[in-house]
Amino acid sequence: MLEFAILGLLHRSPMHGYELRKQLAEVLGGMRSISYGSLYPALKRMRAAGLISTDEPDPHALLPADAPPLTGRRGKVVYTITAEGKERFHELVGQTGPEAYDDGGLFGVRLAFFRHTASDVRLRILEGRRRTVEQQREGLRSSLARTRERLDHYTLELQRHGLESVDREVRWLSELIDTERREASGTSGAAALPDPPDGDRSNPA
Amino acid sequence: MLEFAILGLLHRSPMHGYELRKQLAEVLGGMRSISYGSLYPALKRMRAAGLISTDEPDPHALLPADAPPLTGRRGKVVYTITAEGKERFHELVGQTGPEAYDDGGLFGVRLAFFRHTASDVRLRILEGRRRTVEQQREGLRSSLARTRERLDHYTLELQRHGLESVDREVRWLSELIDTERREASGTSGAAALPDPPDGDRSNPA
DNA sequence: TCCTCGATGTATCGGGACGATACATTGCGT
DNA sequence: ACGCAATGTATCGTCCCGATACATCGAGGA
């Protein structure tokens, strides 16, 4: 998830880790932040994988037994996406399997970078997400119906509030889907007919 | 957080790990589950700390070099809260510091076991939570106002939906607070006057 | 009768994410 | 001139999650 987000942000322009974190927090809706304890290890992994590169060749290399007053000497590091990273990003952007929408966190990131995503892929992801959330809603509904009278006031309120939130999310997704369908039929018309006979519902891995 | 939840559930009756997980998922609102990868290590920690006990003395002890056909021989384990565990639970229940409401997960658990919590403590936690979520909302609002025209359709929708969710949570909390205040003034009247001059807003650790 | 399937049940492993923390530099107000 | 807030890089310990393996048992159909 972090990998996707970082690639998406660096796709626009190179950045410091610090700036990356701020933009990340903003793009993620502000409520879900990201800590340095996740960010820097992720950057390290991605650098090792060749997806991004740094201007500073290596912050911790080549200092045999130099001047002791050189205690920290921390240099600023600018991260840049590589050609391989861009390739990886566009590969990830094309994914439409359950992993793209089952996890709410990843789904949020996908949504934040939807302008890099083809319209038919967008539609598949939105519909997948709606299916997932609808299933959550049904589980919640039946659970609530089963245990309604055994619950005290606060537990009941918690369940009720949760159910309402999920319900609102389904409606929100439905609006997004409607808009997407309208836009798609207006522009290309091939990828998204208003109502194809059924569609397969399979996930192309 | 898990510790609190486990103590709260075992407070009612002893249980298997499996049952514990189911009840946990139900009490947490259904949408946030809990995995065995967290549950069993937590149980192990709490057992080591003397907060809970098992009927099986030790699943992995005393088998010198017995019969080889005894390959797995996994026994069922029932977990029971100890006197020390109950003590710890009631100590945790009394906590009103920021840790009780800053993290949404812990707050949810606290709410689920509110019937073990005194009315004035409930009120402090609910108000603390509302303050936290209100701050989130303000951050979100200003962020949205600052970046509104730079955002594409989907990013904008994401922010809007997030803001609405937070807004609904604030209103929900306000209703809970109102109800709690009404109830409190009807029963004891000492812990929660309808509107004290200001209250201190400090957190008693 | 046997056999599979789903529920019940215990447990570990690797990978990550988080909060706290430390350290270093820059710029701005006063 | 000084200090304080923002910028900036990085690690550590702790915890949690998804996946996985293993094991038992009841009910239902071949």
Side-chain angles (χ1 to χ4, degrees):
Chain A
M1 188 218 88
L2 251 188
E3 179 184 325
F4 192 104
I6 291 171
L7 288 177
L9 282 180
L10 291 185
H11 203 275
R12 309 186 187 180
S13 79
M15 253 179 266
H16 288 169
Y18 185 86
E19 181 71 14
L20 213 37
R21 184 185 188 252
K22 277 200 311 180
Q23 303 248 347
L24 227 33
E26 199 150 277
V27 115
L28 265 289
M31 65 209 66
R32 52 191 313 104
S33 187
I34 198 71
S35 80
Y36 292 125
S38 331
L39 179 59
Y40 283 112
L43 288 171
K44 200 178 241 181
R45 284 197 302 274
M46 292 168 69
R47 186 177 185 280
L51 303 176
I52 60 177
S53 68
T54 59
D55 59 347
E56 218 93 6
D58 195 326
H60 280 293
L62 47 111
L63 58 160
D66 270 313
L70 169 57
T71 27
R73 205 59 208 115
R74 200 94 72 162
K76 302 193 178 185
V77 184
V78 175
Y79 298 92
T80 310
I81 191 170
T82 64
E84 202 178 338
K86 288 187 185 180
E87 199 181 326
R88 174 77 178 144
F89 182 65
H90 288 113
E91 179 192 328
L92 288 173
V93 152
Q95 299 274 89
T96 60
E99 68 278 1
Y101 48 76
D102 275 4
D103 173 39
L106 182 51
F107 171 75
V109 178
R110 296 297 307 260
L111 202 60
F113 295 102
F114 249 21
R115 72 174 155 295
H116 299 289
T117 310
S119 178
D120 59 323
V121 173
R122 284 194 260 202
L123 218 38
R124 271 206 287 279
I125 291 177
L126 288 170
E127 284 165 351
R129 179 65 185 167
R130 183 168 61 176
R131 251 181 342 259
T132 296
V133 181
E134 275 171 348
Q135 278 175 274
Q136 267 187 27
R137 181 177 60 178
E138 293 327 305
L140 227 28
R141 263 212 242 278
S142 67
S143 162
L144 187 53
R146 252 177 19 247
T147 63
R148 180 180 4 244
E149 51 273 348
R150 282 204 306 278
L151 267 36
D152 64 294
H153 173 64
Y154 280 106
T155 311
L156 192 65
E157 275 300 314
L158 188 57
Q159 308 260 354
R160 215 183 47 67
H161 181 66
L163 185 54
E164 266 186 42
S165 295
V166 172
D167 211 59
R168 278 193 66 257
E169 190 172 351
V170 170
R171 282 201 295 276
W172 177 64
L173 288 166
S174 293
E175 284 172 31
L176 293 184
I177 289 170
D178 285 351
T179 303
E180 184 64 48
R181 273 210 255 261
R182 262 198 305 276
E183 298 251 330
S185 67
T187 53
S188 94
L193 293 171
D195 204 357
D198 180 50
D200 53 342
R201 255 60 179 158
S202 73
N203 46 339
Chain B
M1 188 218 86
L2 251 189
E3 180 184 325
F4 193 104
I6 291 171
L7 288 177
L9 282 179
L10 291 185
H11 203 274
R12 309 185 187 179
S13 80
M15 254 179 267
H16 288 167
Y18 185 86
E19 182 71 14
L20 212 37
R21 183 183 188 254
K22 276 201 311 181
Q23 304 249 346
L24 227 34
E26 199 150 277
V27 113
L28 265 288
M31 66 209 65
R32 52 191 314 101
S33 187
I34 198 71
S35 79
Y36 293 124
S38 332
L39 180 59
Y40 283 111
L43 288 171
K44 202 178 241 182
R45 283 197 303 273
M46 292 168 68
R47 187 178 184 279
L51 302 176
I52 60 178
S53 69
T54 59
D55 59 346
E56 219 93 8
D58 195 325
H60 279 292
L62 50 110
L63 56 161
D66 269 313
L70 169 57
T71 27
R73 208 56 208 116
R74 201 93 71 160
K76 302 192 178 183
V77 184
V78 175
Y79 297 92
T80 309
I81 192 169
T82 64
E84 201 179 340
K86 288 187 186 180
E87 199 181 324
R88 173 79 177 142
F89 182 65
H90 288 112
E91 178 191 328
L92 287 172
V93 151
Q95 299 274 88
T96 59
E99 68 277 2
Y101 47 76
D102 274 5
D103 172 40
L106 182 50
F107 171 74
V109 178
R110 294 297 307 261
L111 202 60
F113 294 103
F114 249 21
R115 72 176 155 295
H116 298 290
T117 309
S119 179
D120 59 324
V121 173
R122 284 193 262 203
L123 219 37
R124 272 205 286 277
I125 291 177
L126 288 171
E127 284 164 351
R129 179 67 185 166
R130 183 169 60 176
R131 231 153 32 229
T132 296
V133 180
E134 275 171 347
Q135 277 175 276
Q136 266 186 27
R137 181 177 60 177
E138 294 326 306
L140 227 29
R141 262 213 243 277
S142 66
S143 161
L144 188 53
R146 254 178 14 247
T147 63
R148 175 171 14 240
E149 51 273 348
R150 281 204 306 279
L151 267 36
D152 64 294
H153 173 64
Y154 280 106
T155 310
L156 192 66
E157 274 300 313
L158 188 58
Q159 308 261 353
R160 215 184 47 68
H161 180 66
L163 185 53
E164 264 186 42
S165 295
V166 171
D167 211 59
R168 278 194 66 258
E169 190 171 350
V170 170
R171 283 203 293 275
W172 177 65
L173 288 166
S174 293
E175 284 172 30
L176 292 184
I177 289 169
D178 285 350
T179 303
E180 184 64 47
R181 273 209 254 260
R182 263 198 306 275
E183 298 252 331
S185 68
T187 53
S188 93
L193 293 170
D195 203 357
D198 181 50
D200 52 343
R201 254 62 179 159
S202 73
N203 46 338

